[in-house]
């Protein structure tokens, strides 16, 4: 069985990382796998890329321009939607001809148009689509943020200019970009019965089944996997030496590709630390904050504790050591499916604290291997930090986190689950 994994990139973004790890797991399981991307950033021979042409670059720009135009010439929310109005027909490529199974992951930002997706599903090849966000079963948004219109028909999209109409407003009167793409998706999905959607989290799988687009289609749940040779428990003291971190601090880690991304919730972590500073002054000399990602230095002075800023780390071995070096990973994300960061941190035995949003409650077992706080509640986030920093709690949380991650995200287990999907 030949499997072609399709993703916009092979390295940048959570979906790219997950797709790359899945490719490695499937290959180790004895399967023939290739990856097709628009933006190749690794040296892997099994990763093939589209030609780096001006046309492919302009496709990305054109899609953004159309969204900008329909959004009243506003840059606000420009990156929260994709309309798939332009892309590349991959069905004529040799990689596509080679494949028995076409496994879609994240294919947005001008990589594949919806017409290209329709060509793929009409080709007759078995299609599997892993849901790294909600876009495949909504009109144009990646995360619905509480909007439930996708359960009947998207219209008057809140992401578009003038789209905040009442949910009971006339659907046909709201024929905006979300309505039009929803119609196209509905038409495509009704053409086939050989496509399977895979939710990385149970949360996103359950929401997918509520979508009007998914009725009658197969939706299953399979978590992401991880390289357990890299992300495994090691010596904390040595890890701190590698990253130049102090040995006498209780270190909290926050990580994001861009730390100022509001969706990742660093403002809540700052507020939680300020509460800790007021309520537990005895911890002032003990706590340190490690922030990793682009613009990490901009957080200097934001916390009441010493800040150790680390630029974005692309090397997985160095990132695994950073997770090992800290005492807890804090992920106050406001929207998330199955964050790779939590998988990585727990795999090395570092307990996590996060909000009860998306798939996060499935990943952190409350007070067993971490702490799940009330959404957007800085006080509960602060309480969670104190809970995982407690010496008695930490002694049990760390091994429990490593054990849960080793069982749940095991590469062989995930490969077998996907093999069953490919062949059924």
């Amino acid at each position: 069985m030949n499997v072609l994994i399709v993703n916009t990139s092979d390295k940048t973004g959570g979906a790219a990382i997950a797709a790359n790890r899945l490719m490695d797991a499937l290959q180790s399981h004895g399967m023939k796998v290739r990856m097709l991307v628009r933006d190749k950033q690794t040296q892997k021979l099994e990763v093939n890329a589209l030609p780096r042409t001006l046309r492919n670059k302009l496709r990305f720009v054109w899609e953004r321009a159309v969204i900008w135009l329909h959004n009243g010439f506003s840059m606000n929310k420009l990156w929260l939607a994709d309309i798939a109005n332009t892309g590349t027909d991959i069905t004529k490529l040799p990689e596509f001809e080679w494949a028995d199974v076409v496994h879609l992951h994240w294919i947005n930002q001008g990589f594949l148009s919806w017409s290209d997706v329709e060509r793929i599903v009409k080709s007759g090849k078995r299609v599997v689509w892993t849901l790294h966000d909600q876009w495949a079963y909504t009109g144009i948004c990646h995360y619905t943020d509480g909007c439930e219109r996708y359960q009947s028909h998207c219209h008057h999209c809140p992401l578009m200019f003038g789209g905040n109409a009442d949910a009971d407003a006339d659907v046909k009167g709201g024929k905006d970009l979300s309505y039009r793409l929803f119609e196209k998706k509905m038409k495509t999905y009704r053409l086939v019965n050989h496509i399977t959607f895979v939710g990385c989290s149970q949360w996103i799988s359950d929401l997918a089944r509520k979508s009007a687009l998914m009725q009658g289609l197969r939706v299953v749940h399979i978590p992401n996997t991880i390289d357990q040779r890299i992300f495994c428990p090691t010596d904390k003291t040595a890890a701190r030496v590698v990253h130049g971190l102090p040995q006498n601090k209780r270190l909290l880690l926050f990580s994001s590709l861009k730390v100022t991304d509001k969706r990742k919730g660093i403002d809540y972590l700052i507020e939680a630390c300020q509460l800790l500073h007021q309520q537990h002054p005895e911890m002032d000399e003990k706590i340190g904050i490690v922030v990793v990602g682009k613009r990490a230095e901009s957080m200097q002075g934001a916390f009441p504790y010493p800040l150790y800023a680390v630029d974005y780390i692309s090397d997985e071995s160095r990132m695994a050591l950073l997770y090992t070096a800290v005492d807890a990973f804090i992920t106050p994300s406001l929207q998330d499916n199955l964050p790779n960061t939590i998988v990585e941190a727990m795999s090395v035995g570092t307990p996590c604290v996060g909000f009860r949003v998306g798939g996060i409650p499935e990943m952190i077992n409350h007070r067993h291997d971490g702490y799940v706080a009330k959404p957007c509640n800085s006080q509960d986030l602060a309480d969670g930090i104190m809970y995982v920093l407690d010496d008695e709690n930490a002694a049990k949380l760390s091994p429990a986190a490593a054990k849960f991650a080793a069982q749940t995200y095991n590469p062989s287990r995930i490969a077998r689950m996907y093999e069953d999907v490919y062949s059924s």
Side-chain angles (χ1 to χ4, degrees), residues 254-261 264 291-294 312 341:
F254 174 89
S255 174
S256 175
L257 180 62
K258 184 180 179 182
V259 301
T260 53
D261 182 353
K264 296 302 181 181
V291 175
V292 58
K294 296 177 181 177
Y312 175 72
T341 50

Side-chain angles (χ1 to χ4, degrees), residues 280-298:
H280 300 278
E282 74 279 4
M283 299 296 291
D284 283 359
E285 298 300 318
K286 299 178 182 180
I287 294 179
I289 309 295
V290 181
V291 175
V292 58
K294 296 177 181 177
R295 301 196 64 188
E297 285 287 349
S298 68

